[in-house]
């Protein structure tokens, strides 16, 4: 059956048409490029031919043979750019109509195109923006059969806002750029503009390298076609745009430079990244554009995270089944930050640990904890979480992560329906192995007997475990010490102080005297579980959690007011309470003897709902073939 290609398709595209979706034939395919795989097509409308570049996201169609020499294709999305005085079609999306067909007609290159069909494309690094206005019409010679003339369709140009000020004559290459999809951005273009919504904005960061000090920030864009790209600003450009950019707003952006995306820091599915410069423009679109979505997700089931590569970035959605309190963590650089642990569960039958860092702990993390503590189990969507494979797979937040509580999306609605229809009672297997629900990567559950039998704490580094145990005895002698209240930087000294002859307190470390000291716990507590008992040492925060009041209050009762009755009542009231103890176990030298010291780092009241889920998970993991009742 004869095939009729779109008449005058090449001439129309050269003249600026981007809407006709022409039917053309591939008469030649060449692989070009050294550092990056790119394919060059020679397209024909049966009378004329034109060179075209295939967008890299379509390379698979050539590699798999879906498009080959002779294929009849329909161009869905495309643009035509001028590169070194040559017109080039950039194919962004296409559909194969006939995989193989004989060459139709006797097509020839149009005047002004490459004179040699086998001439290689210029190197990517030599491509320069065209000085030709994107609104200039390109006049192709009339074909031999004198086909009927046509008026080419040209995409409307982006008109700058009325508050632009004209300063001097407008040069030829200063014509307004037309709005194009993000997916169409490529190094073969001269002037362009994109209209997109800001979906994420990074923090302002400062750096120091061989070229000196600097500052940088980035933000992510999403357009109506689903294209995403990251924009980065440095130094003086940061001052122009950092306070202008707001998450959720739509902007018109132009006059930036395109560079290859740094995949170590950029998780978006785009090979390019925009760098704004001194002449770049960023204009707010005051009217809401409903065609551009607020956010775009690519959710992975929790069961797939188990096979995901370490440090990969992905989106995940699940039901929050447990939330741990936020705890301070000292980073390697000496700075303190916050960490909070959650557990997510979905319909795949698996659960995963999610670690929140920094501000996420006090914003979304606190809200999630209040919801779970009140009996609600919210849906949480995580955009751009980072996979960690230490001791099982887990997810952590990074600077570009976004959290959405009970989002309005089909995936969240489906997950909620599953949970309410029986999913809440379905046991799930954690892919964060050997961890308590909501526990961190080192919170491995042990019994008190296991601590001794496994010789924990006797290696060069301390062991960190979690044990569920009951307080059975508290020593009341020397339960606290007098501490230095002075600040060293952003931390309190806390060293033991002594009273001098003038009744002032003296700190040998700070070499200063002061009127009043601080009081800090140094509790010796005996704890017991179903396997045995042991002694542990609880310092300030842990001691306050166990006794329910400050060390200073207890000191005043015992030594100032000498109210032994009230003091004893408080001690007895705290016995036989069960807690989850976070323990640090390390062998230390006492005189000439090596002893294992167990220190309480953190104390949590037992959440019996979370504890029941933990026990069910342990039964499921250890007896996978056991029938569910």
């Amino acid at each position: 059956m004869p095939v009729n290609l779109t008449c005058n398709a090449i001439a129309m595209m050269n003249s600026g048409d981007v809407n006709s979706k022409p039917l053309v034939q591939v008469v030649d395919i060449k692989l070009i490029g050294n550092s990056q795989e790119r394919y060059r097509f020679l397209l024909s409308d049966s009378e004329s031919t034109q060179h075209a570049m295939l967008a890299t996201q379509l390379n698979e169609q050539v590699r798999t043979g879906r498009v080959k020499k002779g294929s009849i294709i329909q161009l869905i999305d495309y643009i035509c750019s001028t590169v070194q005085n040559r017109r080039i079609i950039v194919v962004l999306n296409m559909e194969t109509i006939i995989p193989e067909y004989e060459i139709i007609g006797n097509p020839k290159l149009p005047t002004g195109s490459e004179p040699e069909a086998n001439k290689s494309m210029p190197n990517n690094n030599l491509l320069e923006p065209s000085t030709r206005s994107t609104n200039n019409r390109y006049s192709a010679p009339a074909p031999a059969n004198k086909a009927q003339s046509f008026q080419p369709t040209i995409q409307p140009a982006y008109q700058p806002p009325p508050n632009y000020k004209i300063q001097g004559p407008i040069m030829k290459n200063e014509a307004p750029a037309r709005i194009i999809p993000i997916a169409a951005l490529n190094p073969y273009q001269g002037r362009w503009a994109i209209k997109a919504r800001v979906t994420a904005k990074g923090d302002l960061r400062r750096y120091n390298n061989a070229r000196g000090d600097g500052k940088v920030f980035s933000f992510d864009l999403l357009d109506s076609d689903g294209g995403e790209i990251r924009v980065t600003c440095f130094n003086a450009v940061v001052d122009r745009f950092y306070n202008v950019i707001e998450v959720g707003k739509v902007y018109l952006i132009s006059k930036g430079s395109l560079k290859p995306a740094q995949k170590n820091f950029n998780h978006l599915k785009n090979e390019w990244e925009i760098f704004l410069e001194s002449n770049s423009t960023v204009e707010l679109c005051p009217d809401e554009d409903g065609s551009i979505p607020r956010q775009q997700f690519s959710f992975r089931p929790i069961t797939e995270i188990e096979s995901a590569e370490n440090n990969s970035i992905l989106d995940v959605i699940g039901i929050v089944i447990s939330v741990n309190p936020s705890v301070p963590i000292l980073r390697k650089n000496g700075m303190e930050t916050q960490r909070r642990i959650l557990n997510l569960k979905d319909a795949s039958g698996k659960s995963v640990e999610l670690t929140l860092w920094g501000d996420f702990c006090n914003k979304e993390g606190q809200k999630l904890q209040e919801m779970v503590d009140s009996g609600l189990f919210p849906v949480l969507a995580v955009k751009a979480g980072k996979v960690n494979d230490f001791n099982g797979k887990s997810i952590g937040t990074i600077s570009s992560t976004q959290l959405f509580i009970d989002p309005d999306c089909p995936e969240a609605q489906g997950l909620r329906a599953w949970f309410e229809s029986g999913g809440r009672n379905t046991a799930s297997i954690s892919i964060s192995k050997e961890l308590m629900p909501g526990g961190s990567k080192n919170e491995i559950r042990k019994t008190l007997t296991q601590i001794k039998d496994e010789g924990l704490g006797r290696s060069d580094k301390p062991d960190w475990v979690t044990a569920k145990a009951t307080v059975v005895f508290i020593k009341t002698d020397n339960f606290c010490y007098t501490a230095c209240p002075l600040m060293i930087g952003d931390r309190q000294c806390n060293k033991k102080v002594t009273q001098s002859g003038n009744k002032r307190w003296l700190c040998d470390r700070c070499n200063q005297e002061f009127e009043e000291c601080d009081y800090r716990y140094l509790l010796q507590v005996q704890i017991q579980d179903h396997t045995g008992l042991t002694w542990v040492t609880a310092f300030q925060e842990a001691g306050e959690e166990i006794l329910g009041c400050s060390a200073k209050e207890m000191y005043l009762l015992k030594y100032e007011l000498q109210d032994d009755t009230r003091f004893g009542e408080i001690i007895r009231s705290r016995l036989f309470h069960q807690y989850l103890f976070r323990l640090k176990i390390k062998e230390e030298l006492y005189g000439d003897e090596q002893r294992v010291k167990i220190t309480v780092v953190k104390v949590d009241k037992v959440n019996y709902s979370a504890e029941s889920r933990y026990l069910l998970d342990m039964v499921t993991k250890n007896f996978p073939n056991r029938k569910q009742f």
Side-chain angles (χ1 to χ4, degrees):
M1 182 178 71
V3 176
N4 295 320
L5 303 180
T6 302
C7 183
N8 293 328
I10 300 299
M12 286 192 293
M13 288 187 286
N14 278 328
S15 298
D17 172 74
V18 293
N19 300 311
S20 61
K21 294 181 173 54
L23 201 67
V24 293
Q25 185 174 30
V26 180
V27 296
D28 192 23
I29 300 178
K30 286 186 180 288
L31 176 63
I32 64 171
N34 297 322
S35 60
Q36 186 176 30
E37 177 185 8
R38 297 193 73 93
Y39 288 97
R40 184 189 68 180
F41 284 4
L42 187 62
L43 301 180
S44 165
D45 62 6
S46 78
E47 295 179 350
S48 299
T49 58
Q50 181 68 50
H51 283 103
M53 293 297 297
L54 190 66
T56 54
Q57 63 263 29
L58 302 178
N59 284 354
E60 189 67 18
Q61 297 199 33
V62 178
R63 289 195 291 261
T64 58
R66 282 182 288 172
V67 177
K68 58 185 71 173
K69 185 176 180 179
S71 295
I72 307 297
I73 63 173
Q74 183 177 23
L75 303 184
I76 308 298
D77 290 321
Y78 54 92
I79 58 174
C80 192
S81 298
T82 302
V83 180
Q84 294 186 347
N85 298 322
R86 289 195 277 274
R87 299 292 279 174
I88 302 238
I89 298 169
V90 181
V91 181
L92 306 172
N93 192 10
M94 65 181 182
E95 182 178 349
T96 302
I97 306 301
I98 302 177
E100 292 186 66
Y101 203 82
E102 60 185 10
I103 302 301
I104 301 174
N106 186 23
K108 299 179 180 179
L109 282 171
T111 304
S113 185
E114 287 193 55
E116 300 176 17
N118 62 350
K119 187 174 181 179
S120 62
M121 292 291 293
N123 185 283
N124 288 357
N125 297 328
L126 300 178
L127 293 172
E128 300 175 355
S130 168
T131 57
R132 183 193 303 270
S133 166
T134 54
N135 284 339
N136 287 352
R137 297 173 182 263
Y138 176 84
S139 300
N145 62 357
K146 297 182 180 181
Q148 183 179 0
S149 62
F150 60 90
Q151 193 70 17
T153 303
I154 299 179
Q155 183 169 341
Y158 155 53
Q159 297 297 330
N163 60 354
Y164 272 30
K165 294 182 179 180
I166 304 299
Q167 298 178 354
I170 300 178
M171 301 298 292
K172 186 175 182 181
N173 64 352
E174 290 297 316
R178 62 176 180 169
I179 300 173
I180 64 173
I182 288 176
L185 290 173
N186 63 84
Y188 308 112
Q189 292 166 304
R191 293 176 49 74
W192 51 263
I194 56 174
K195 182 179 181 181
R197 189 185 304 278
V198 177
T199 57
K201 178 182 177 181
D203 295 330
L204 178 61
R205 295 182 291 108
R206 299 185 182 275
Y207 62 88
N208 179 276
N209 55 29
R211 290 178 291 180
D213 297 335
K215 52 188 175 182
V216 60
F217 92 101
S218 300
F219 56 96
D220 297 342
L221 296 175
L222 172 66
D223 69 7
S224 57
D225 293 330
E228 292 184 285
I229 196 167
R230 176 157 296 174
V231 183
T232 300
C233 306
F234 285 94
N235 301 324
V237 184
V238 172
D239 298 331
R240 288 185 59 197
F241 297 127
Y242 184 76
N243 293 326
V244 173
I245 298 300
E246 294 183 40
V247 174
K249 298 292 182 66
V250 177
Y251 297 87
L252 284 168
I253 298 177
S254 62
K255 295 184 181 178
S257 63
L258 257 67
K259 297 181 182 179
Q262 300 181 36
K263 289 303 181 182
N264 290 340
F265 310 100
N266 187 345
H267 63 277
L268 299 182
K269 296 178 181 179
N270 197 317
E271 59 181 308
W272 307 111
E273 189 170 331
I274 296 174
F275 286 77
L276 296 186
E277 300 168 338
S278 58
N279 65 336
S280 299
T281 63
V282 176
E283 297 292 338
L284 175 66
C285 298
D287 298 328
E288 174 64 22
D289 190 334
S291 66
I292 304 178
R294 288 280 172 182
Q295 189 56 264
Q296 183 169 263
F297 296 100
S298 181
F299 291 124
R300 298 274 295 275
I302 292 177
T303 187
E304 291 186 9
I305 298 175
E306 202 165 13
S307 58
E309 293 184 6
N310 187 36
N311 296 325
S312 60
I313 306 297
L314 48 76
D315 302 343
V316 64
I317 188 170
I319 299 285
V320 180
I321 57 175
S322 64
V323 183
N324 269 18
S326 179
V327 296
I329 296 294
L330 191 65
R331 291 189 179 274
K332 293 180 180 179
N333 60 7
M335 301 296 290
E336 188 176 273
T337 188
Q338 294 293 313
R339 183 191 68 192
R340 188 188 290 271
I341 309 298
L342 317 179
N343 235 308
L344 298 179
K345 165 183 178 179
D346 70 4
S348 69
K350 298 292 180 70
S351 62
V352 66
E353 172 193 283
L354 170 65
T355 304
L356 307 185
W357 294 98
D359 290 340
F360 289 112
C361 298
N362 301 324
K363 294 179 181 178
E364 295 90 345
Q366 183 61 35
K367 182 178 179 180
L368 290 167
Q369 182 171 17
E370 292 172 357
M371 295 176 75
V372 172
D373 288 346
S374 64
L376 301 176
F377 298 94
V379 176
L380 180 65
V382 182
K383 174 74 175 176
K386 185 177 182 179
V387 176
N388 189 298
D389 65 357
F390 176 75
N391 199 9
K393 289 295 176 67
S394 61
I395 303 293
T397 61
I398 55 178
S399 60
S400 57
T401 300
Q402 291 178 279
L403 304 179
F404 300 88
I405 301 174
D406 287 329
D408 184 15
C409 64
E411 293 88 350
Q413 295 167 6
L415 197 57
R416 171 59 61 193
W418 165 79
F419 187 75
E420 297 298 341
S421 63
R424 69 167 67 233
N425 300 319
T426 302
S428 59
I429 300 175
S430 175
I431 65 173
S432 307
K433 298 175 183 176
E434 296 190 58
L435 308 180
M436 59 172 288
S440 75
K441 299 171 183 58
N442 290 320
E443 286 181 339
I444 301 173
R445 186 72 72 91
K446 295 291 183 181
T447 64
L448 299 184
T449 297
Q450 283 178 311
I451 293 174
K452 181 180 180 180
D453 292 346
E454 295 179 12
L456 299 183
R458 297 189 181 277
S459 59
D460 293 336
K461 295 183 179 180
D463 288 305
W464 303 78
V465 302
T466 297
K468 183 178 69 173
T470 301
V471 174
V472 295
F473 188 78
I474 301 173
K475 283 187 177 182
T476 57
D477 296 334
N478 302 321
F479 65 91
C480 70
Y481 72 95
T482 50
C484 175
L486 300 180
M487 299 298 293
I488 300 177
D490 59 348
R491 291 179 172 273
Q492 189 173 329
C493 173
N494 289 334
K495 287 294 183 181
K496 186 175 181 179
V497 296
T498 57
Q499 202 166 25
S500 59
N502 58 4
K503 294 186 179 181
R504 292 170 62 86
W505 296 96
L506 173 65
C507 177
D508 292 334
R509 177 183 181 181
C510 299
N511 196 25
Q512 291 190 43
E513 290 187 349
F514 34 84
E515 295 287 344
E516 295 184 0
C517 67
D518 198 3
Y519 297 88
R520 296 182 65 84
Y521 277 120
L522 187 60
L523 282 181
Q524 300 299 316
V525 182
Q526 193 175 48
I527 60 176
Q528 181 176 9
D529 67 3
H530 63 285
T531 66
L533 53 81
T534 190
W535 285 96
V536 297
T537 301
F539 289 96
Q540 183 70 353
E541 290 78 9
E544 289 180 349
E545 183 65 36
I546 293 172
L547 290 181
C549 57
S550 68
K552 185 174 183 179
E553 291 177 82
M554 295 296 287
Y555 179 88
L556 292 175
L557 275 176
K558 184 173 177 64
Y559 297 106
E560 298 289 340
L561 301 177
Q562 295 185 354
D563 190 347
D564 292 337
T565 302
R566 177 61 183 151
F567 181 86
E569 288 176 352
I570 293 176
I571 295 295
R572 286 191 296 273
S573 69
R574 309 310 294 179
L575 299 180
F576 308 112
H577 284 268
Q578 195 175 53
Y579 299 95
L580 285 175
F581 292 94
R582 171 81 160 132
L583 304 175
K584 175 186 175 184
I585 309 167
K586 184 71 175 74
E587 192 174 50
E588 297 182 359
L589 183 64
Y590 292 87
D592 296 330
E593 183 182 358
Q594 290 276 36
R595 297 181 186 175
V596 173
K597 181 180 179 180
I598 304 177
T599 303
V600 179
V601 179
K602 189 171 181 297
V603 180
D604 285 322
K605 294 180 180 178
V606 177
N607 182 326
Y608 291 101
S609 176
E611 188 67 14
S612 297
R613 285 191 293 272
Y614 167 75
L615 294 175
L616 283 172
D617 288 344
M618 291 298 294
V619 170
T620 303
K621 182 162 63 174
N622 292 312
F623 303 98
N625 298 323
R626 187 181 181 90
K627 293 183 179 179
Q628 299 289 331
F629 294 97

